[in-house]
């Protein structure tokens, strides 16, 4: 196998360290790994930031995105010849013209909205998950002490980023794999199934919360490894 570089893209209310367990597993398997700091400022801006990194890499690339990170990678990876596989972890596969917020609300079961705390800043509004609600809605299967740290270190996303409409859909031309989290209160499992089916994505389902990269890092690494072996051997 030609070993690809694995690029990991976190979503809203998380940060690069949310991939730590996945990174450790992938490194043990011999993969070079980069977990980027997703700006969470707007779909166009975030995709341009990721694209600049992708354009700097040589050789094959596998990209995995968690949550809103899937929206970003679908926009950024379109037309990048080195990208061989897309891996959506409790994530979004947007069609052109759709927004992250629209897909999150397409099916019942999401409980994120009432738990959000809007914080105005010059030029926009940031969204945080209320810390006393963080574990329940985001990280239900994560140890309480870890979830407490995650709540305190969460990265906010601008409200407008969730409303931005996709202009590209890399999953139409690049093979994809999807992990569907059955205890997810951010993106209903039915929404993930809908998006994965539409994309022709290879799917696995796991009994986990939205914070699956923290609670089940080895299962996440397994799926990324599967995608890499299927597309770069």
């Amino acid at each position: 196998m030609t070993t690809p570089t694995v690029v990991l893209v976190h979503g809203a209310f998380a940060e690069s360290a949310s991939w730590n367990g996945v990174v450790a597993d992938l490194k043990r398997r011999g993969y070079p790994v980069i977990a980027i700091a997703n700006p969470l400022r707007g779909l166009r801006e975030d995709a341009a930031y990721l694209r600049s990194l992708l354009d700097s890499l040589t050789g094959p690339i596998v990209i995995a995105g968690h949550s809103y990170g899937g929206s970003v990678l679908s926009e950024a990876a379109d037309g990048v010849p080195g990208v061989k596989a897309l891996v959506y972890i409790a994530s979004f596969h947007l069609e052109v013209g759709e927004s992250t917020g629209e897909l999150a609300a397409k099916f019942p079961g999401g409980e994120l909205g009432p738990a959000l705390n809007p914080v105005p800043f010059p030029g926009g509004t940031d969204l945080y998950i209320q810390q006393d609600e963080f574990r329940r809605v985001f990280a239900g299967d994560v140890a309480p002490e870890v979830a407490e740290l995650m709540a305190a270190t969460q990265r906010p996303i601008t409200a407008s980023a969730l409303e931005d409409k996709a202009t590209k859909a890399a999953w139409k031309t690049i093979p994809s794999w999807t992990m569907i989290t059955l205890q997810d209160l951010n993106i209903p499992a039915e929404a993930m199934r809908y998006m994965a089916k539409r994309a022709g994505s290879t799917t696995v389902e796991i009994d986990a919360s939205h914070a699956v990269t923290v609670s089940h890092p080895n299962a996440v690494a397994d799926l990324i490894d599967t995608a890499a072996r299927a597309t770069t051997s």
Side-chain angles (χ1 to χ4, degrees):
M1 186 177 81
T2 302
T3 305
T5 298
V6 177
V7 177
L8 304 174
V9 187
H10 69 79
F13 321 116
E15 37 94 37
S16 299
S18 63
W19 293 104
N20 280 357
V22 179
V23 171
D25 191 319
L26 292 172
K27 296 286 280 185
R28 283 193 295 270
R29 301 180 197 224
Y31 289 99
V33 185
I34 302 171
I36 74 160
N38 189 358
L40 306 178
R41 299 295 85 187
L43 183 56
R44 229 62 71 238
E45 298 93 323
D46 300 339
Y49 181 83
L50 174 58
R51 180 63 178 258
S52 67
L53 172 69
L54 299 178
D55 287 342
S56 76
L57 300 175
T58 58
I61 303 166
V62 173
I63 313 177
H66 175 245
S67 194
Y68 167 77
S71 301
V72 175
L73 73 83
S74 294
E75 188 86 9
D78 187 65
V80 181
V83 176
K84 304 303 180 183
L86 310 175
V87 186
Y88 294 89
I89 306 296
S91 194
F92 293 96
H93 320 47
L94 298 185
E95 174 61 278
V96 173
E98 292 178 338
S99 71
T100 303
E102 176 186 345
L103 265 294
K106 189 174 181 68
F107 294 89
E111 298 185 24
L112 177 63
L116 293 177
N117 181 36
V119 178
F121 68 89
T125 300
D126 264 339
L127 299 176
Y128 292 82
I129 298 176
Q130 299 166 27
Q131 290 198 27
D132 59 355
E133 284 279 75
F134 188 93
R135 184 168 186 260
R136 184 184 73 81
V137 301
F138 193 90
D141 58 350
V142 173
E145 63 273 17
V146 176
E148 186 175 11
L149 292 175
M150 293 172 64
T153 60
Q154 65 179 289
R155 295 266 311 283
I157 189 169
T158 62
S160 59
L162 300 179
E163 299 166 359
D164 289 340
K165 296 187 181 299
T167 64
K168 299 175 183 176
W171 49 262
K172 291 187 174 182
T173 56
I174 302 172
S176 66
W177 281 254
T178 297
M179 176 172 284
I180 295 168
T181 39
L182 299 179
Q183 302 302 320
D184 203 310
L185 297 183
N186 280 217
I187 312 172
E190 200 58 35
M192 287 184 262
R193 292 188 187 108
Y194 167 80
M195 290 183 278
K197 181 178 180 181
R198 181 175 65 178
S201 190
T202 301
T203 64
V204 299
E205 299 195 357
I206 184 170
D207 190 24
S209 75
H210 192 62
V212 65
T213 62
V214 178
S215 61
H216 294 82
N218 303 120
V220 173
D222 282 343
L223 187 60
I224 295 170
D225 180 57
T226 296
R229 290 180 178 277
T231 55
T232 59
S233 58

